[in-house]
Amino acid sequence: MESKLKAEESNSTIMRGFVLVGFSDIPTLRWILFGIFLVMYLIILMGNGIIILITRIDPTLQNPMYFFLGNFSFLEICYVTTTVPRMLGDIWTKKRNISFLACATQMCFVLIFGSTECLLLAVMAYDRYVAICNPLHYPLVMNHRVCMQLLAGSWISGLPFEIGQTCQIFSLPFCGSHTIHHFFCDIPPILKLACGDTYVNELLVYIVAVMFFMVPFLLIVTSYGKIIFNILKLTSAKGRAKAFSTCSSHLTVIVLFFGTAAITYFQPKPDQSEGLGKLLSLFYTVLTPMMNPLIYTLRNKDVMVALEKLLPKLLTQKNDLKL
């Protein structure tokens, strides 16, 4: 019995990494998946990059709403870059090994960017609430200093909690299988590999999820509840339509992101199937960031006008360089 315990202990200490299965369980679609994910990643970079550019240079978009939108697009690029390049490299090389430190680092950044996204979406909902429900005081309430404080708070608030959560998860003994049935180091598949008692870790997952998921979500629901109530009081049909169009794109993003992430993190270990976990993770880590630029441009008249002004300038500069 004693020798068995020593063997398990040595296995947990010797194991220095994991194997990310990713999408290797469907080898016949290897290159098709590589092409699809590469195109999606390029669309994310280009689409969000264009939004960052136009919100920085277009004079008509110099207000808090587009300030937060530009930062949200930058966050989306950071968020996707923590997972997709690694996934593409694994598909290309077939080398699925990931070191213990690299896995922990990836999880930490995914959690940090994910919590920042939840908080930033809540901040954007508050911005729309002030703009629609208290328009006369909007420039005063959402001044540049307040916007910078809200943005900094969104980025910084989750750091100690997510770093602490990552450290706690990776302090668990992993003495059994070291194969992660996922395409990145996420909490549910990692907890499945732990051979110790994970009750405290699962409890912490719920606590952090409530803090950085449920609380922002409730703030968003409250803000939009008041927004809808005020919109319905407007006598002008044109005014109601304009107010709804301003908020509809943001609401669409919220439903896509919060809906899929909720299913993942509110059942962190026992009941989630591997295939469903990967599919849901693809939604909130890849598909939603890819769709965000389309949602914000196609459903936002100001952004479309800014794009129409920007594209001829870019084409002119391109022709000048050729000459």
Side-chain angles (χ1 to χ4, degrees):
M1 184 69 181
E2 187 178 346
S3 61
K4 186 179 178 182
L5 288 172
K6 284 183 179 179
E8 287 183 357
E9 186 179 358
S10 63
N11 282 341
S12 65
T13 54
I14 290 170
M15 193 191 73
R16 296 179 181 177
F18 300 98
V19 175
L20 278 170
V21 171
F23 296 94
S24 61
D25 49 351
I26 41 176
T28 54
L29 298 178
R30 177 189 169 200
W31 293 114
I32 294 173
L33 290 173
F34 180 84
I36 291 170
F37 290 133
L38 178 61
V39 170
M40 291 171 74
Y41 184 55
L42 293 175
I43 290 172
I44 290 166
L45 294 180
M46 185 175 67
N48 286 288
I50 288 172
I51 288 180
I52 294 169
L53 181 64
I54 61 175
T55 53
R56 292 281 294 178
I57 66 173
D58 195 287
T60 61
L61 303 183
Q62 302 306 306
N63 60 54
M65 175 182 173
Y66 296 108
F67 169 76
F68 290 125
L69 178 58
N71 281 279
F72 183 74
S73 293
F74 173 72
L75 173 62
E76 292 287 62
I77 291 173
C78 295
Y79 190 37
V80 173
T81 302
T82 59
T83 57
V84 175
R86 169 86 204 192
M87 178 174 63
L88 290 172
D90 289 344
I91 295 173
W92 180 271
T93 63
K94 295 186 185 179
K95 294 179 181 178
R96 297 169 293 150
N97 294 330
I98 183 169
S99 69
F100 197 81
L101 179 61
C103 191
T105 303
Q106 186 184 54
M107 178 188 283
C108 188
F109 277 108
V110 167
L111 294 176
I112 289 170
F113 293 140
S115 62
T116 302
E117 183 156 344
C118 292
L119 294 171
L120 193 52
L121 284 170
V123 167
M124 293 169 77
Y126 173 70
D127 170 69
R128 291 299 83 209
Y129 160 72
V130 177
I132 293 171
C133 301
N134 200 2
L136 296 178
H137 294 92
Y138 180 67
L140 182 64
V141 174
M142 298 301 293
N143 60 62
H144 182 69
R145 182 181 176 184
V146 170
C147 290
M148 291 300 294
Q149 288 173 343
L150 289 171
L151 180 66
S154 299
W155 278 93
I156 295 169
S157 298
L159 286 175
F161 297 95
E162 303 301 0
I163 292 171
Q165 185 175 49
T166 304
C167 291
Q168 190 179 34
I169 288 171
F170 280 88
S171 65
L172 290 167
F174 298 97
C175 52
S177 170
H178 61 290
T179 301
I180 303 172
H181 294 277
H182 213 288
F183 62 90
F184 72 97
C185 295
D186 203 6
I187 291 176
I190 293 292
L191 284 180
K192 283 184 178 180
L193 302 182
C195 56
D197 183 12
T198 61
Y199 173 76
V200 174
N201 301 88
E202 290 180 40
L203 182 63
L204 183 64
V205 170
Y206 286 117
I207 292 170
V208 174
V210 168
M211 289 174 60
F212 294 101
F213 187 91
M214 285 305 298
V215 171
F217 182 71
L218 290 174
L219 291 173
I220 290 168
V221 170
T222 303
S223 296
Y224 274 103
K226 293 182 177 180
I227 287 170
I228 293 169
F229 180 74
N230 275 270
I231 290 174
L232 293 175
K233 289 196 301 182
L234 295 174
T235 55
S236 167
K238 188 177 180 180
R240 284 198 299 269
K242 185 177 180 181
F244 271 121
S245 67
T246 305
C247 302
S248 59
S249 54
H250 188 227
L251 277 171
T252 307
V253 171
I254 288 166
V255 171
L256 286 170
F257 178 77
F258 278 90
T260 51
I263 301 171
T264 301
Y265 289 102
F266 280 96
Q267 45 169 199
K269 185 179 177 182
D271 300 321
Q272 193 179 92
S273 69
E274 293 162 2
L276 178 62
K278 281 197 278 191
L279 181 62
L280 291 172
S281 297
L282 271 177
F283 264 95
Y284 69 82
T285 59
V286 183
L287 286 174
T288 303
M290 185 185 73
M291 292 171 68
N292 286 351
L294 296 174
I295 292 167
Y296 278 113
T297 53
L298 295 177
R299 299 183 67 90
N300 191 304
K301 190 176 179 181
D302 293 335
V303 174
M304 288 297 291
V305 171
L307 275 174
E308 288 172 3
K309 289 191 292 184
L310 177 66
L311 289 175
K313 290 180 181 178
L314 292 176
L315 291 172
T316 303
Q317 289 178 358
K318 186 178 179 181
N319 291 331
D320 290 342
L321 288 172
K322 285 182 179 180
L323 293 173

